Amino acid sequence: MADKPLSQKQILARIESIETELIQLKAEVNRWQKSSAKVESQAISPSSQPTDQVVKPEFASKTQSAFSILKWESFLGENLFIKLGLLTMLLGAIWFINLAFEQYWINESVRIWMGLTLGSAIVYLGLRLIKDWPLIGPSLAGTGVSLIFVSYFLGYFLYDLYNIQTTFIGLSLLSLFTISFSYLIRNEVVFGFGILGAFLVPALLSTGENSYQFLFLYLLVWNLLFLMISKVTQWRITPLLLLAGNHLMFGGWAVEKLENSSWEIPLLFQSGIFLIFLYREHVLVPRISKSDQTFSLVTVSATLLFGFSQCYYISTVFFPLFTNALLVTMVLVYYSFLYRTFTKVKESESAIHDLFIGGVGLIGMVFVLATLVIGFEGRMLSLGTFAFAILLGFLGTKLRQSPIYFFSYLFWIYGLLNLIYVQFVLSDTNWIFLNSNFVLYVFASALLFQLGRMGNDLEFSKLFLGTAFPVLLLGTFGEVSGHVSDEFIILGYTSVLGFYGFTFTVFSFIKSNQQIRKIGLFCLGIVICKLYLYDFWNMGMIARILAGFGLGAALVITGIIYNRQNKNKIQNKDQT
């Protein structure tokens, strides 16, 4: 307050506030002194804890509570009560004018001029009070604008004092003036009144015709105007209201008239709104505080939610075959903006945007999954999910970002669950192992293992490595279960384990990979236990013979390879 002198009203208001606070603090001090005396009288020994150490925290807590009460009182008395009072006065004025109209105390033209004059007077009063009363002034100005708006509209609606074209131009100019003025004084409340009027104009003047081309181009112009002033204003509440208004207008129209219209203008409108709000939140408006991040996250999420839903509706009506292509394009645009923000934040080495970036990325994942579910089914759904999971996994390893890396794992899990459903419920394959189901299992297992190795220094790399082989084993067991007869199914499971144990063990010696060797030994250990504890006592005679020769030979060969490898190690040590 040092940059300009205080007015008399401000000085009196501050004196009254300070006196109130002083009275409360004195009361707290008196209570503290009484409590302190009581504690001293109850002291038992000199070693007791000093009284002030016990009472002062309580005193501080009560003082903080008193200030909190004062803060809420200030909000209610200085802000909320004013707005509710102005709203009540406006309603009272409207009812009084309505009564005067019904009793015909005033003729038609005078009625309208009275409303316009009164509204102008209230606007002028609000402007005069903006500097000294920053909470009352804008609300008064907005109330006056609303009264002018209503009066001018009633001149057309009730008395036909002017035609619809004149009414449209007048109300639109009034809305433009209000928005321009809100920009000059940097006031979000006044802007809210102006943009509300701009959206009400086509709704109030609608003749029932399907003039959707003009409607959506008109709304798009107001959104572009909002984008132009966003870099300077940086408002947070009105974007959400404007976004909701856009889609409310579109949804109300689309339910009844979309099928009787063309797709070009509705799709242009939705694409424009989608790009305008993403550009505003990612490029124009900075996120300085945590509340800024929260509002921006909500705005971006709502932009994707509304845009995705409306574009899906448009595409299913006009070009259902290209629905998935349109939704994929929207998600890619969404993530391109996120990638731009991420690279910009990474260059500045600032961690303040983590909430926004993480939240936007997570919300986008939901819609990626929705796009996949809408566009694909069966094995193609798993393949599409795997493809996106690969992209996320490689992106996470390249950027060394554990959250992105973990999100890719979630998509792997969803794709695998769908593949299991396809294999066991919708299976239509005739050849064991020579079918698309098993190929997808092998593909998923290999890439999970590769992503686990690429992200070995990331937090969730062990999840990928630990899932790779069970995926392959699950796919193989599914093939055995679906194609092998009951007589040889136990032998089939054991043979699969023996084959993998032998193959991985040999391969681990060739590539000197200890992780693969552990998998091989694990499989061979299960084979040995399974053979002697269960298989030999539950197989048929032919299956026992085959298991004895085949699996026994595999175990012997594996043992020979191990011995030879150990001899080579010993010889190398002796030579060195």
Side-chain angles (χ1 to χ4, degrees), residues 318-387:
F318 292 106
F319 36 86
L321 294 178
F322 297 96
T323 298
N324 202 52
L326 177 61
L327 299 181
V328 168
T329 303
M330 292 188 68
V331 173
L332 289 177
V333 171
Y334 177 87
Y335 273 105
S336 66
F337 277 101
L338 177 61
Y339 181 74
R340 180 194 178 279
T341 301
F342 176 79
T343 53
K344 188 176 180 180
V345 171
K346 188 178 180 182
E347 290 174 0
S348 64
E349 298 182 355
S350 174
I352 194 173
H353 301 281
D354 289 348
L355 172 63
F356 174 74
I357 293 176
V360 170
L362 181 59
I363 295 296
M365 300 294 176
V366 177
F367 288 91
V368 168
L369 184 59
T371 303
L372 293 171
V373 173
I374 291 171
F376 302 106
E377 59 182 12
R379 300 180 188 89
M380 291 304 299
L381 175 57
S382 291
L383 182 60
T385 307
F386 290 160

Side-chain angles (χ1 to χ4, degrees), residues 210-263:
N210 190 14
S211 304
Y212 64 94
Q213 296 96 336
F214 176 79
L215 170 65
F216 294 127
L217 291 177
Y218 167 85
L219 294 178
L220 200 55
V221 168
W222 288 109
N223 283 275
L224 289 172
L225 177 62
F226 170 70
L227 181 67
M228 291 172 59
I229 67 175
S230 290
K231 186 174 181 61
V232 177
T233 56
Q234 300 179 12
W235 292 323
R236 289 298 180 184
I237 303 297
T238 48
L240 291 170
L241 301 178
L242 180 59
L243 184 64
N246 283 317
H247 291 286
L248 185 63
M249 293 282 287
F250 183 88
W253 168 84
V255 169
E256 297 181 356
K257 300 178 180 180
L258 177 62
E259 296 182 358
N260 300 322
S261 309
S262 61
W263 60 271

Side-chain angles (χ1 to χ4, degrees), residues 147-394:
L147 187 56
I148 296 174
F149 187 96
V150 172
S151 299
Y152 190 81
F153 171 71
L154 290 178
Y156 157 77
F157 184 73
L158 294 179
Y159 310 117
D160 294 325
L161 297 179
Y162 22 79
N163 58 31
I164 189 172
Q165 291 82 7
T166 304
T167 307
F168 175 80
I169 294 173
L171 295 179
S172 299
L173 289 176
L174 177 61
S175 300
L176 180 60
F177 167 78
T178 308
I179 291 175
S180 302
F181 182 71
S182 71
Y183 171 75
L184 293 176
I185 64 175
R186 306 291 193 270
N187 192 275
E188 192 172 10
V189 175
V190 177
F191 175 81
F193 281 102
I195 201 65
L196 176 62
F199 271 67
L200 285 175
V201 169
L204 294 174
L205 301 181
S206 175
T207 59
E209 298 179 1
N210 190 14
S211 304
Y212 64 94
Q213 296 96 336
F214 176 79
L215 170 65
F216 294 127
L217 291 177
Y218 167 85
L219 294 178
L220 200 55
V221 168
W222 288 109
N223 283 275
L224 289 172
L225 177 62
F226 170 70
L227 181 67
M228 291 172 59
I229 67 175
S230 290
K231 186 174 181 61
V232 177
T233 56
Q234 300 179 12
W235 292 323
R236 289 298 180 184
I237 303 297
T238 48
L240 291 170
L241 301 178
L242 180 59
L243 184 64
N246 283 317
H247 291 286
L248 185 63
M249 293 282 287
F250 183 88
W253 168 84
V255 169
E256 297 181 356
K257 300 178 180 180
L258 177 62
E259 296 182 358
N260 300 322
S261 309
S262 61
W263 60 271
E264 293 88 350
I265 297 299
L267 186 59
L268 173 65
F269 174 72
Q270 287 297 331
S271 302
I273 297 302
F274 185 71
L275 293 174
I276 284 172
F277 279 86
L278 287 182
Y279 183 79
R280 180 187 186 273
E281 297 301 326
H282 282 281
V283 180
L284 292 184
V285 182
R287 292 167 295 278
I288 301 173
S289 63
K290 188 175 181 180
S291 62
D292 289 342
Q293 291 190 62
T294 303
F295 277 113
S296 191
L297 172 60
V298 173
T299 304
V300 170
S301 303
T303 300
L304 181 58
L305 172 63
F306 290 136
F308 189 93
S309 305
Q310 305 284 24
C311 287
Y312 172 74
Y313 185 28
I314 294 172
S315 60
T316 52
V317 172
F318 292 106
F319 36 86
L321 294 178
F322 297 96
T323 298
N324 202 52
L326 177 61
L327 299 181
V328 168
T329 303
M330 292 188 68
V331 173
L332 289 177
V333 171
Y334 177 87
Y335 273 105
S336 66
F337 277 101
L338 177 61
Y339 181 74
R340 180 194 178 279
T341 301
F342 176 79
T343 53
K344 188 176 180 180
V345 171
K346 188 178 180 182
E347 290 174 0
S348 64
E349 298 182 355
S350 174
I352 194 173
H353 301 281
D354 289 348
L355 172 63
F356 174 74
I357 293 176
V360 170
L362 181 59
I363 295 296
M365 300 294 176
V366 177
F367 288 91
V368 168
L369 184 59
T371 303
L372 293 171
V373 173
I374 291 171
F376 302 106
E377 59 182 12
R379 300 180 188 89
M380 291 304 299
L381 175 57
S382 291
L383 182 60
T385 307
F386 290 160
F388 186 75
I390 294 168
L391 176 64
L392 276 183
F394 279 111

Side-chain angles (χ1 to χ4, degrees), residues 41 48 104 116 144 177 180 217 269 276 286 300 391 419 481 488 497 502 520 537 542 550 556 568 574:
S41 64
S48 300
Y104 212 79
L116 297 176
F177 167 78
S180 302
L217 291 177
F269 174 72
I276 284 172
V300 170
L391 176 64
L419 186 58
S481 174
F488 295 98
L497 287 170
F502 175 77
W537 317 112
I542 297 177
V556 170
N568 292 336
D574 293 339

Side-chain angles (χ1 to χ4, degrees), residues 62-172:
K62 290 183 178 180
T63 305
Q64 185 177 4
S65 176
F67 283 124
S68 178
I69 294 173
L70 283 173
K71 184 178 179 181
W72 277 104
E73 288 180 354
S74 175
F75 168 75
L76 292 174
E78 298 178 11
N79 192 347
L80 184 61
F81 288 172
I82 292 172
K83 290 182 171 58
L84 292 177
L86 291 173
L87 177 61
T88 305
M89 291 173 63
L90 178 61
L91 292 174
I94 292 174
W95 291 329
F96 172 76
I97 294 172
N98 181 61
L99 177 63
F101 291 173
E102 290 178 353
Q103 300 297 325
Y104 212 79
W105 296 339
I106 309 169
N107 63 36
E108 288 85 351
S109 59
V110 174
R111 297 172 187 177
I112 301 304
W113 279 110
M114 282 184 59
L116 297 176
T117 304
L118 180 59
S120 301
I122 295 175
V123 171
Y124 176 76
L125 179 61
L127 298 181
R128 291 292 303 272
L129 295 176
I130 280 181
K131 291 184 178 180
D132 296 332
W133 301 87
L135 295 176
I136 298 178
S139 300
L140 269 177
T143 304
V145 169
S146 301
L147 187 56
I148 296 174
F149 187 96
V150 172
S151 299
Y152 190 81
F153 171 71
L154 290 178
Y156 157 77
F157 184 73
L158 294 179
Y159 310 117
D160 294 325
L161 297 179
Y162 22 79
N163 58 31
I164 189 172
Q165 291 82 7
T166 304
T167 307
F168 175 80
I169 294 173
L171 295 179
S172 299

